Amino acid sequence: MRRLIAGNWKMHKTVSETREYIEKFLRLVEHPESREILLCPPFTSLYVAGEMLEGSGVKLGAQNCHYEKSGPYTGEVSPPMLKEVGCEYVIIGHSERRQLFGESDEVINKKLVACLEEGLRPILCVGETREEREAGMTFKVIETQVRLALSGIEEHTDRIDIAYEPVWAIGSGTPATPQDAVEVHTFIRQLLSEINPKNEGRTRILYGGSVKPQNAKEFMKHEEINGLLVGGASLDPESFAQIVYSF
Ligand code: 13P
């Protein structure tokens, strides 16, 4: 499976800023086929990004979606809407959604089901808080998040990627050590093979949390790390391109 390098822009960039970014970024992307490259702009930029990325080899993803196809859900966006503008991926259950917007494991599970039904590939985010890590709860927290998210869709673990994003490492400037990440990735890998042995090795496990051009290579040296989910350092096309080609 090709390794995946994904940029999560979060709530950054207007449509005109998106245009400017993608024009620059596409000039820097030399061999998109050697790895999978994904941009996840905000909803308002998806349409223009989809048009500009078409045929480039760089993929498009959303940062969230609703679990219904349509209906009275003011302010929400559905999987078919994302599909039509060219999205292939959707980030689901990011810790900011869990913490700031009250997303439960149950809602995250519904969103995963909805993405799979629409043929979108979800990137499920999991990760422990600092308090949970200090209390020795890391594996328990990750196991609960993974099991509840995948409940009822165990047969489709080959159509999902998982991003391990320790909450304390996100936006802090202090990433997990590659050793800590490898330990958790190995745990998730074992858990996945328990959940569905038939799909063994077919789910990518990405690391996210303060990834920068300076440290990306240290993570990508390890075969347990199948890619990166990058926040802040994906906002500049040059820095994101450096990360993409760091390994
Ligand atoms: P930073 O790379 O800014 O720490 O964000 C990580 C993240 O949350 C990606 O989804």
Side-chain angles (χ1 to χ4, degrees):
M1 204 180 270
R2 277 189 309 167
R3 303 215 271 178
L4 172 64
I5 309 296
N8 173 10
W9 291 2
K10 308 191 179 183
M11 196 171 74
H12 292 282
K13 299 197 190 292
T14 63
V15 169
S16 55
E17 289 164 346
T18 300
R19 276 206 193 94
E20 202 184 320
Y21 179 107
I22 294 180
E23 262 168 35
K24 280 194 195 148
F25 186 65
L26 288 180
R27 275 187 249 125
L28 300 167
V29 174
E30 284 162 15
H31 300 290
E33 65 290 347
S34 61
R35 57 212 70 205
E36 208 154 346
I37 308 169
L38 174 66
L39 295 179
C40 301
F43 287 135
T44 44
S45 288
L46 287 173
Y47 183 79
V48 71
E51 283 190 327
M52 293 180 78
L53 295 178
E54 206 178 338
S56 70
V58 176
K59 308 276 175 76
L60 182 68
Q63 301 171 15
N64 179 31
C65 69
H66 196 268
Y67 52 78
E68 294 289 352
K69 288 188 198 310
S70 63
Y73 303 102
T74 301
E76 294 291 316
V77 174
S78 76
M81 296 171 184
L82 298 177
K83 189 78 190 274
E84 200 183 286
V85 293
C87 288
E88 290 180 48
Y89 285 83
V90 187
I91 297 171
I92 298 290
H94 191 281
S95 66
E96 287 151 18
R97 304 254 8 126
R98 293 178 191 257
Q99 293 197 321
L100 305 173
F101 302 97
E103 274 190 24
S104 63
D105 290 306
E106 192 194 354
V107 164
I108 289 165
N109 172 252
K110 286 183 173 179
K111 292 184 175 192
L112 290 175
V113 171
C115 287
L116 292 174
E117 269 176 14
E118 202 55 44
L120 290 161
R121 190 171 179 101
I123 301 176
L124 165 67
C125 299
V126 297
E128 81 287 1
T129 61
R130 181 172 300 284
E131 295 71 41
E132 289 163 342
R133 174 160 280 261
E134 283 169 0
M137 306 258 298
T138 300
F139 293 134
K140 188 71 222 145
V141 168
I142 303 283
E143 176 165 2
T144 305
Q145 290 175 340
V146 171
R147 283 195 189 276
L148 293 178
L150 298 181
S151 154
I153 46 173
E154 292 84 356
E155 68 176 295
H156 298 303
T157 48
D158 57 336
R159 294 172 54 204
I160 295 172
D161 296 311
I162 294 182
Y164 168 53
E165 297 207 307
V167 177
W168 47 272
I170 295 176
S172 68
T174 310
T177 63
Q179 290 68 32
D180 282 342
V182 165
E183 193 183 28
V184 176
H185 284 220
T186 304
F187 175 76
I188 296 172
R189 181 68 66 207
Q190 279 161 1
L191 188 57
L192 286 169
S193 64
E194 253 175 60
I195 290 172
N196 184 347
K198 272 198 250 140
N199 286 340
E200 178 121 38
R202 298 175 72 186
T203 306
R204 279 177 298 201
I205 306 173
L206 320 181
Y207 169 76
S210 296
V211 173
K212 305 277 176 253
Q214 299 79 0
N215 61 27
K217 192 175 176 186
E218 291 307 307
F219 287 101
M220 296 309 288
K221 265 186 197 162
H222 300 273
E223 63 174 22
E224 293 86 351
I225 300 180
N226 312 126
L228 300 167
L229 182 53
V230 186
S234 74
L235 292 175
D236 172 64
E238 279 171 17
S239 115
F240 190 49
Q242 277 175 36
I243 294 173
V244 164
Y245 292 113
S246 63
F247 60 97

